[in-house]
Structures are given as C-alpha cells and as structure tokens.
C-alpha cells in the first residue's frame, strides 16, 4: 500500500447552478446562447471546453447538498466568459440582455487594462464577460495564461 497522500490535481470539472425555473434557464442557455445541452430529466449539462456547466432546480440542489434553499446577497463568486476582442464583449452582453438577463455593469475599460461588463442571468447568477489583452485564447476558447 502506498503511504503517500493523494494530492488533488489543479482543476475544476463542473459548476452546477441551482435555478428557479429549469425550463426558462434551459431555454436561456440552449435556445438563447446556442449552447448544446445533454438533458437528463431535470438536469442539463453544457460542455464548455473542459468545464461542464450544469443547471438543476434550486430546491433539489439545496436538498442534495443538505443546505437551506433560500439565500440572499452576493454569492461570493462570479462566472466568466472570455472573448477575443472588446467587440465580442459588447455583442455577448447585448445578447444576454435581449434574452432577459439584467446588465449589472455595462461594458467598459477595466482597471486592470482589459474590457469587461457583468450581467445576472435569469436566476441572478453573475457572469463577467471579459476581454483580457494580456491572455490568449486557444482555438477552443480556453485561456492561455502567460508564464511567470
């Protein structure tokens, strides 16, 4: 038997959003944004270049995690979508607003040198749409971090 501790690999595989209306959220991501889901009963999975985004009814997710289903305030995290150009940031934010998302911060130059804006999706999950001139994106849209 190996006495070495198992060290977790530096990765994240899936983010699950507890949504208020599964059908409305499914429509937002599938029909509005054009992301292709794998739907199994009342959960949908979207493959996003290495990370899976799942949507699941909020009350069922809370029950599964054994936590209270009601929460308030800033959840302490944001989701991010990076683009190749500032124009793509503007386009994505306009599309999200057209689909019913609430713009929280209009696209603008960021203090760190990029260009970004924020929206809340139909369930209030906060997305940052950003162009970072210091990072690249590969052909699949994955971030290429610069070397130290």
């Amino acid at each position: 038997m190996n006495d070495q501790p198992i060290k977790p690999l530096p990765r994240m595989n899936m983010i699950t959003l507890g949504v208020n209306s599964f059908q409305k959220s499914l429509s937002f991501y599938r029909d509005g944004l054009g992301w292709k889901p794998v739907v199994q009963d009342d959960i949908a999975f979207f493959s996003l270049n290495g990370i899976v985004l799942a949507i699941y009814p909020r009350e069922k997710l809370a029950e599964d995690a054994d936590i209270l289903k009601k929460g308030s305030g800033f959840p302490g995290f944001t989701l991010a979508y990076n683009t190749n150009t500032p124009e793509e940031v503007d386009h994505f934010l306009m599309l999200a607003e057209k689909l019913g998302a609430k713009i929280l911060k209009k696209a603008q130059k960021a203090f760190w040198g990029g260009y970004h804006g924020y929206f809340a999706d139909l369930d209030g999950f906060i997305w940052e749409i950003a162009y970072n001139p210091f990072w690249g994106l590969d052909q699949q849209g994955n971030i290429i971090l610069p070397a130290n």
Side-chain angles (χ1 to χ4, degrees):
M1 191 157 75
N2 189 348
D3 290 335
Q4 296 294 323
I6 297 172
K7 294 183 182 179
L9 298 173
R11 70 173 181 227
M12 181 184 314
N13 300 97
M14 185 165 67
I15 298 169
T16 303
L17 304 178
V19 299
N20 293 315
S21 170
F22 177 76
Q23 289 303 321
K24 284 182 181 178
S25 292
L26 180 60
S27 180
F28 179 86
Y29 289 103
R30 180 191 60 204
D31 306 329
L33 297 182
W35 296 356
K36 305 222 182 310
V38 172
V39 180
Q40 298 173 346
D41 299 319
D42 54 1
I43 190 166
F45 302 95
F46 300 87
S47 180
L48 305 179
N49 292 323
I51 291 181
V52 172
L53 176 70
I55 58 171
Y56 190 55
R58 185 179 182 94
E59 65 279 356
K60 290 184 178 185
L61 183 59
E63 180 183 332
D64 187 50
D66 199 23
I67 57 175
L68 296 175
K69 63 182 169 186
K70 291 288 182 184
S72 63
F74 178 60
F77 71 93
T78 62
L79 303 167
Y81 182 100
N82 283 65
T83 68
N84 287 301
T85 67
E87 293 78 21
E88 287 180 58
V89 172
D90 293 330
H91 176 76
F92 197 113
L93 287 171
M94 285 188 309
L95 175 61
E97 185 174 36
K98 182 179 173 185
L99 296 171
K102 178 181 178 186
I103 301 300
L104 302 175
K105 181 177 185 178
K106 291 182 180 183
Q108 58 192 262
K109 289 187 177 186
F111 70 91
W112 43 266
Y115 185 76
H116 71 154
Y118 286 86
F119 73 85
D121 74 6
L122 304 178
D123 290 284
F125 293 107
I126 300 169
W127 283 82
E128 177 189 24
I129 309 303
Y131 165 68
N132 186 330
F134 308 108
W135 292 354
L137 297 178
D138 68 15
Q139 289 183 333
Q140 290 77 40
N142 297 309
I143 292 172
I144 302 169
L145 293 174
N148 286 333

